[in-house]
Amino acid sequence: VQLVESGGGSAQTGGSLTLSCVVSGLTYSTPCMGWFRQAPGKEREGVALIDNDGSATYADSVKGRFTISKDNNNNTLYLQMNNLKPEDSAMYYCAVDLIPTCGWYTPAYNYWGQGTQVTVSS
């Protein structure tokens, strides 16, 4: 199983970026997928989750600004990030939970991507 993120980069405060995560090697649909982020010196934290039915859950810090979605035909997960803030700067990771618990507990996620860097300047 391989997860490959892309779409990170630099943006100014108030700007937008869209992250993508292509999943390969799974022979069945992914019950739960999520985006997590980790800033230097901080723990990895959940940003957004989406279950097999397409129901989404967001961290309070990104509600109303970020949108998670997925394209099952292309095995791709997305994170649309609008109105970016400097505190959104971090390495962003996508992950798959096969059980699923579909929560913020990172050890429950079976597979992770390598991450894509997002930097927001003020």
Side-chain angles (χ1 to χ4, degrees), residues 54-113:
S55 296
T57 304
Y58 298 94
D60 288 343
S61 59
V62 305
K63 279 181 182 177
R65 300 189 298 120
F66 290 11
T67 302
I68 188 172
S69 62
K70 61 179 180 176
D71 182 342
N72 289 328
N73 292 329
N74 293 319
N75 296 323
T76 303
L77 179 72
Y78 301 99
L79 185 68
Q80 174 67 44
M81 305 185 295
N82 298 327
N83 192 20
L84 284 163
K85 303 176 180 180
E87 51 263 42
D88 294 320
S89 297
M91 185 71 79
Y92 282 70
Y93 302 88
C94 62
V96 170
D97 174 4
L98 299 178
I99 299 176
T101 57
C102 214
W104 301 121
Y105 185 56
T106 54
Y109 287 78
N110 308 89
Y111 300 103
W112 294 81

Side-chain angles (χ1 to χ4, degrees), residues 33-53:
M33 296 190 68
W35 287 100
F36 295 77
R37 66 187 181 187
Q38 188 168 18
K42 295 187 177 181
E43 293 188 354
R44 191 169 297 189
E45 62 175 4
V47 175
L49 310 173
I50 187 166
D51 67 15
N52 200 40
D53 295 328

